[in-house]
Amino acid sequence: MNAVPQQGADATPGTRLASLQQWVDDVAALTRPDRVVWCDGSDAEAAALQQAMLADGTLLELNQDTHPGCVLHRSHPDDVARVEHLTFVCHEKREDAGPNNHWMAPAEAHAKIDALFEGCMEGRTLYVVPYCMGPIDSKLARCGVEITDSPYVVANMRLMTRMGAAALARIEREGAEGKPLVRGLHSTGELDPDRRYIMHFPEELVIKSYGSGYGGNALLGKKCHALRIASHQARSEGWLAEHMLIVGIENPQGEVHYVAAAFPSACGKTNLAMLIPPESYREQGWKVWTVGDDICWMHPGEDGRLWAINPEAGFFGVAPGTSEKSNPNALHTIERDTIFTNVATTDDGQPWWEGLDKRVPAKDWQGRDFDPARGPAAHPNSRFTVSAKQCPTFSPHAEDPQGVPISAIVFGGRRSSLVPLVFESRDWAHGVLVGAAMGSETTAAATGAVGVMRRDPMAMKPFCGYSFADYFAHWLSFDRPDAKLPKVFHVNWFRKDADGRFMWPGFGDNLRVLEWIIGRVDGSTAADAAAIGHVPATGALNLDGADVSAEAMAELLHVDAEGWKAEADAVEAYLDELGVPAASPLRASLEPLRAGS
Ligand code: GTP
Ligand code: SPV
Ligand code: MN
């Protein structure tokens, strides 16, 4: 990578925060780059970087008439998803990482990965990327600095975070006050899967990532900082860092309820966050406001409610399946100034993926002439990176420094059987159990088998920076006398019939379920008691205009008592595996399932 912009005369030459300067100097001594560039986040810097990447083939220009400002990146074919088996959470004590994480002793982990970093930036440029997760003027926001040798990472971080001079100014101000900073070191290395690690040191607020240029492995502000490190910080500071979308639902009276929803990777967060109401709802005046599509930081406010910010500034969304029918909002968002990664292209250079439309792609995600015999044209985990500001439904409150108040928390996963369309937990402890018991069939977002059911508590299996037993206890601790906690629900858009077809239309029609959820919050909708919690009373779900048969609906809402007894046993065994104490309220919350009432 030689064609990189020279440091401009007006670019920040470094920092007056001595500890930060020292770290950058130390990293430069270890990695031996040709050049060090401090990123200021300016348009000029971004344009120069993009030019350099177009010149050396890191980026390819897409059709500028149909997609102005859009570019394509084709990753190394072995570097297309998160690598959970190579991701480590390195607490001093193994038990603090828990059975839910891969663990290595910090000293050993540093030694292992530093050996890879040694001299790895020779011939390359070292970029210093100061960033802020959350609105730059928000007390709830947190800063970090990522050092990377990938200009693609710099370009993505600029869209996904508040990156550059303003973040550095906050970092310097907070540094002078002695506030901690998250430090992330990243190199693409050789992109060799055998020389690849994603290491976290929560007690030091340090991340080290080597050997991958892909999304969650390389954009360190995202999963590494805003989930794994932040969840550890949140535990000691009394807040929650979650793998959740945040969406505002405005009813015809103009009242907005904010809902936070945790679904595992590639299970519908982006789609729900950008939902377009069914026509009948639009006519009545329902509106949906997008606050965030992947990460949610929630803090108890003075009023006892949970207040949430989206720490991110952009969307790194799944491309396949995104269409004018499923998510027109996303399609409009990515019409311009978007980085596409591993999508296919049409013969006139437009981005294309399975499910977009009926056109036939010309080139597949690896740039080969498309041949259906080789599988899908776009990689199943191909993605777009785009500023959230381009989303037509971006909430006017998304940048409020105090965040938005959360009325309901929704858990959900891909469950082709058993789990009904929606149910409500009985109380907070039961809600935490419902989150802890979440299961979902695996997707292409991580390497490994797809479609295998696994437990994924709160959609945080790959992202919790400490032991799940401690994490559940932390969730339970929010239930204080002065707290006005959100109600907790579970949904399943992914039930399948005997022919393997989805039974629920999903997407925009999911608003029907959200309407019931909000009705439960404000007390206007009816529910029946069942062993799993509260389920919609007959007729309580608005199905006007929905393309779903009465038989399918009955099946979607049915509670299979025997099936749930078996599920309760499986959940109990999982809690045992995680070391959840016998006296935990989670255990008591399982009892009604056993009793079948
Ligand atoms: P990450 O970015 O990986 O955390 O994922 P995400 O949860 O934001 O996933 P996303 O919304 O991008 O959904 C991924 C896949 O789920 C796409 O293939 C969608 O088409 C599909 N999907 C989303 N919502 C629904 C739904 O309501 N029903 C069905 N059947 N599929 C859906
Ligand atoms: C996920 O896998 O949950 C994502 C994409 O949101 S990545 O940032 O690559 O982790
Ligand atoms: Mn995600």
Side-chain angles (χ1 to χ4, degrees):
M1 179 72 31
N2 290 320
V4 291
Q6 294 295 328
Q7 189 159 348
D10 55 353
T12 328
T15 175
R16 52 196 169 81
L17 184 60
S19 55
L20 175 56
Q21 187 66 54
Q22 185 64 54
W23 174 59
V24 173
D25 292 346
D26 290 348
V27 167
L30 174 68
T31 57
R32 300 195 292 273
D34 282 8
R35 253 182 310 240
V36 174
V37 170
W38 287 73
C39 296
D40 63 11
S42 64
D43 291 346
E45 176 184 88
L49 260 181
Q50 180 154 320
Q51 273 314 315
M53 286 191 279
L54 288 167
D56 74 5
T58 304
L59 295 180
L60 303 169
E61 198 164 75
L62 290 165
N63 187 323
Q64 296 300 296
D65 296 327
T66 57
H67 293 76
C70 292
V71 291
L72 169 64
H73 174 69
R74 293 192 184 121
S75 77
H76 189 286
D78 289 332
D79 186 32
V80 294
R82 286 182 294 98
V83 282
E84 295 178 5
H85 60 296
L86 302 174
T87 300
F88 288 76
V89 174
C90 308
H91 288 269
E92 279 298 336
K93 292 202 220 113
R94 180 178 208 137
E95 59 265 34
D96 289 339
N100 45 300
N101 280 303
H102 297 296
W103 176 86
M104 209 183 281
E108 185 192 343
H110 280 300
K112 220 178 194 78
I113 201 163
D114 285 352
L116 299 176
F117 278 115
E118 163 117 52
C120 72
M121 295 191 193
E122 276 172 13
R124 301 184 187 184
T125 297
L126 180 159
Y127 299 93
V128 184
V129 183
Y131 63 85
C132 180
M133 301 308 292
I136 197 98
D137 57 347
S138 170
K139 278 197 303 211
L140 310 183
R142 297 299 173 95
C143 292
V145 174
E146 173 166 359
I147 291 177
T148 178
D149 57 9
S150 162
Y152 166 80
V153 165
V154 177
N156 276 271
M157 285 291 284
R158 182 162 183 271
L159 294 169
M160 295 304 297
T161 73
R162 282 86 172 167
M163 180 272 254
L168 183 60
R170 178 168 167 162
I171 288 166
E172 290 176 337
R173 196 176 67 240
E174 291 185 342
E177 295 163 6
K179 285 208 186 128
L181 166 74
V182 173
R183 289 171 296 162
L185 169 55
H186 168 254
S187 171
T188 51
E190 304 81 15
L191 299 176
D192 175 354
D194 292 329
R195 287 166 58 84
R196 182 175 294 165
Y197 285 111
I198 323 295
M199 305 270 204
H200 305 74
F201 305 88
E203 285 136 8
E204 303 166 47
L205 305 184
V206 164
I207 304 155
K208 293 185 178 178
S209 164
Y210 188 90
S212 167
Y214 191 78
N217 300 332
L219 311 178
L220 301 187
K222 197 171 175 58
K223 306 297 182 172
C224 302
H225 177 165
L227 289 176
R228 297 194 191 97
I229 299 285
S231 61
H232 163 81
Q233 289 181 295
R235 180 195 177 196
S236 59
E237 295 169 6
W239 51 284
L240 292 164
E242 300 299 327
H243 190 202
M244 293 177 174
L245 67 94
I246 309 168
V247 67
I249 312 292
E250 182 174 335
N251 66 18
Q253 293 75 50
E255 297 154 348
V256 183
H257 278 286
Y258 293 94
V259 174
F263 307 153
S265 302
C267 289
K269 290 184 299 302
T270 304
N271 282 270
L272 196 70
M274 297 184 187
L275 181 150
I276 304 257
E279 199 175 332
S280 60
Y281 279 75
R282 285 203 301 275
E283 282 163 5
Q284 288 170 38
W286 288 83
K287 295 196 178 89
V288 172
W289 301 105
T290 308
V291 179
D293 83 327
D294 198 50
I295 303 183
C296 165
W297 287 355
M298 283 185 289
H299 293 246
E302 278 165 18
D303 60 357
R305 301 188 72 184
L306 289 181
W307 289 74
I309 61 166
N310 170 14
E312 301 194 278
F315 307 123
F316 183 62
V318 177
T322 308
S323 71
E324 197 56 59
K325 185 158 178 286
S326 68
N327 194 347
N329 240 331
L331 269 195
H332 294 307
T333 307
I334 59 182
E335 270 165 2
R336 63 181 173 90
D337 299 320
T338 302
I339 302 171
F340 292 89
T341 300
N342 292 340
V343 299
T345 49
T346 59
D347 55 5
D348 62 345
Q350 298 187 46
W352 192 91
W353 47 82
E354 277 67 20
L356 175 63
D357 56 31
K358 297 258 178 279
R359 284 176 297 172
V360 177
K363 301 275 182 204
D364 72 9
W365 62 280
Q366 298 186 60
R368 305 173 299 194
D369 288 342
F370 174 55
D371 174 359
R374 281 195 289 238
H379 188 277
N381 192 37
S382 54
R383 300 227 169 208
F384 52 78
T385 320
V386 66
S387 166
K389 290 204 176 82
Q390 288 182 204
C391 177
T393 54
F394 192 49
S395 165
H397 297 291
E399 313 247 353
D400 284 1
Q402 76 277 16
V404 295
I406 298 299
S407 298
I409 288 175
V410 180
F411 295 117
R414 283 180 191 261
R415 294 291 297 264
S416 41
S417 60
L418 183 70
V419 181
L421 181 63
V422 60
F423 64 93
E424 177 192 342
S425 64
R426 279 181 289 274
D427 52 34
W428 183 254
H430 181 222
V432 177
L433 172 75
V434 167
M438 258 172 71
S440 195
E441 287 135 26
T442 51
T443 66
T447 56
V450 168
V452 180
M453 158 55 199
R454 71 162 180 183
R455 297 283 157 202
D456 189 351
M458 278 93 167
M460 286 286 276
K461 169 73 187 66
F463 308 120
C464 187
Y466 62 103
S467 163
F468 264 153
D470 295 333
Y471 173 71
F472 301 153
H474 180 52
W475 264 84
L476 290 166
S477 76
F478 285 81
D479 195 3
R480 287 185 288 262
D482 55 339
K484 295 192 183 67
L485 293 169
K487 279 181 181 270
V488 180
F489 299 81
H490 193 284
V491 300
N492 181 18
W493 314 141
F494 298 95
R495 273 290 282 278
K496 287 186 179 163
D497 63 17
D499 299 325
R501 281 184 303 242
F502 290 120
M503 297 170 72
W504 174 248
F507 302 102
D509 285 301
N510 293 335
L511 184 58
R512 301 174 187 280
V513 175
L514 290 175
E515 183 190 11
W516 183 78
I517 285 174
I518 288 163
R520 294 298 298 159
V521 169
D522 66 22
S524 63
T525 318
D528 292 333
I532 56 170
H534 305 293
V535 295
T538 310
L541 266 186
N542 176 1
L543 295 170
D544 278 356
D547 184 16
V548 52
S549 70
E551 299 77 60
M553 250 356 269
E555 184 64 26
L556 281 164
L557 294 175
H558 176 65
V559 179
D560 167 8
E562 286 310 308
W564 278 100
K565 277 184 197 167
E567 177 81 358
D569 290 342
V571 171
E572 181 96 68
Y574 185 59
L575 297 182
D576 290 344
E577 209 180 291
L578 294 175
V580 172
S584 168
L586 299 187
R587 308 261 186 184
S589 292
L590 264 179
E591 280 318 307
L593 282 186
R594 289 252 166 63
S597 64

